Amino acid sequence: MGRKRTTKNGAVEPEGSVRGTAAKGPVAGTFRTDTGTAELIPDGDNPNGWLLMLNGVQSSHVDLADPLRLEFEYMRWIMALVEDRWASGEKLRTLSLGGAACSMPRYLVAAYPNSRNVVVEIDGQLANYVRDWFELPRAPLMKIRVGEAREVTESLTEASRDLIIRDVFAGSKTPVALTTSEFTAAAKKVLGPGGVYVVNCGDSSALATARREAATIAAAFKHTAIIADPPMLKGRRSGNIIIAGSDATLGDGAGLPRVLLGGAMPAQLWDDSKVRHFARSAVVLTDVEPE
């Protein structure tokens, strides 16, 4: 779920499919997918930019000329956390749950040339579209695996990933099955020593979902962190909160807080003690919720 930004709509073409066409590259219009519709809108402020809407909700933005440009603030926050942990030359093994336009996987390929990135996308038709539209990197740099995020995660080899990013939404909410302690345990099992699990939590100003997600991740990992802008953390608006867990320290030192405060939308980093205080009264999410 991305924050809104001003774009200039292009002409909307009839619904159709780009699969199997000779032409490649983005085409403005609305297209049927396996799970609804995808609308591709040119960015009026950037001739190389495209906004992807899924079922009427802003999902991704891609700059065809610069994979290191991320329009959505929460994506920049996640990448700041990643770059604080790993140097660009490291052989990072990543799993991205929720593909859409693959904005963050594109970034990871560019920022970590030795990385190997797997993207899980439930909508096979959408995966075909974005490959044609955005000329995504190919295997072994990036693989798109069509499937349900939990099923795929639970099928993966133990300790086979360094980083898992969960950015899965059905409308404005993450499916509950991807938020529970059981799923978090499955994700942790797939991570190697010191691996990092990062989730994009969309929430209202009440922050009830974020507190429960933070409690769930804190119960699974030795260290946690939260990144968000101050109005969101104070419960003054709805939006995105980034929650991370690891058995190694997160954002240790002044580097990451400085980067986050210097962004276009300044954000704060909460360390483990603040996260646990934030989540102290929340109930851990489970597959079987108490009645």
Side-chain angles (χ1 to χ4, degrees):
M1 183 176 70
R3 282 179 46 77
K4 291 185 178 180
R5 60 187 304 278
T6 303
T7 58
K8 190 179 295 182
N9 288 8
V12 177
E13 298 179 352
E15 290 188 346
S17 169
V18 297
R19 179 190 288 182
T21 60
K24 301 290 183 179
V27 178
T30 301
F31 305 87
R32 282 188 292 270
T33 70
D34 295 338
T35 58
T37 60
E39 183 179 3
L40 198 57
I41 303 171
D43 183 343
D45 300 321
N46 175 7
N48 297 307
W50 291 86
L51 178 69
L52 177 64
M53 306 275 290
L54 295 180
N55 300 319
V57 178
Q58 292 191 29
S59 170
S60 308
H61 180 280
V62 168
D63 186 323
L64 294 175
D66 185 4
L68 295 176
R69 177 177 177 178
L70 297 173
E71 279 297 305
F72 291 165
E73 292 88 355
Y74 82 86
M75 294 186 181
R76 293 198 291 267
W77 300 339
I78 292 174
M79 290 302 107
L81 178 67
V82 171
E83 291 173 332
D84 184 71
R85 169 59 66 87
W86 291 285
S88 62
E90 295 194 49
K91 296 181 179 180
L92 193 59
R93 303 167 300 168
T94 81
L95 176 68
S96 294
L97 304 177
C102 296
S103 303
M104 286 189 285
R106 286 178 77 239
Y107 186 105
L108 289 165
V109 169
Y112 295 89
N114 294 319
S115 65
R116 296 294 181 264
N117 306 275
V118 175
V119 183
V120 180
E121 171 55 55
I122 197 169
D123 193 314
Q125 180 64 80
L126 178 63
N128 284 319
Y129 286 153
V130 298
R131 277 230 179 266
D132 283 345
W133 289 337
F134 305 130
E135 298 183 4
L136 298 177
R138 296 287 179 174
L141 288 174
M142 184 194 298
K143 299 178 183 178
I144 299 180
R145 180 169 172 177
V146 176
E148 192 275 323
R150 180 159 177 167
E151 291 179 359
V152 172
T153 302
E154 291 175 340
S155 74
L156 296 176
T157 303
E158 185 174 348
S160 62
R161 300 293 184 272
D162 304 302
L163 170 68
I164 298 176
I165 299 173
R166 192 206 74 196
D167 190 20
V168 181
F169 286 86
S172 62
K173 297 183 181 297
T174 299
V176 174
L178 300 179
T179 68
T180 65
S181 60
E182 291 86 351
F183 175 73
T184 305
K188 182 177 180 178
K189 186 176 181 180
V190 173
L191 289 171
V196 178
Y197 178 53
V198 187
V199 309
N200 175 26
C201 174
D203 205 0
S204 69
S205 59
L207 302 181
T209 299
R211 290 181 196 278
R212 293 197 70 184
E213 287 235 52
T216 304
I217 291 172
F221 293 95
K222 295 178 180 178
H223 301 276
T224 59
I226 278 179
I227 302 173
D229 62 277
M232 187 70 199
L233 292 173
K234 292 177 181 178
R236 294 178 179 172
R237 69 171 183 83
S238 60
N240 302 95
I241 291 184
I242 303 307
I243 309 172
S246 178
D247 283 341
T249 57
L250 292 164
D252 196 20
L256 180 57
R258 184 167 54 247
V259 170
L260 295 171
L261 287 173
M265 175 176 281
Q268 292 180 345
L269 174 69
W270 280 0
D271 63 13
D272 185 71
S273 63
K274 286 186 177 180
V275 175
R276 292 180 189 275
H277 180 76
F278 171 72
R280 67 192 183 282
S281 61
V283 178
V284 170
L285 290 152
T286 64
D287 284 347
V288 181
E289 287 287 279
E291 295 183 0

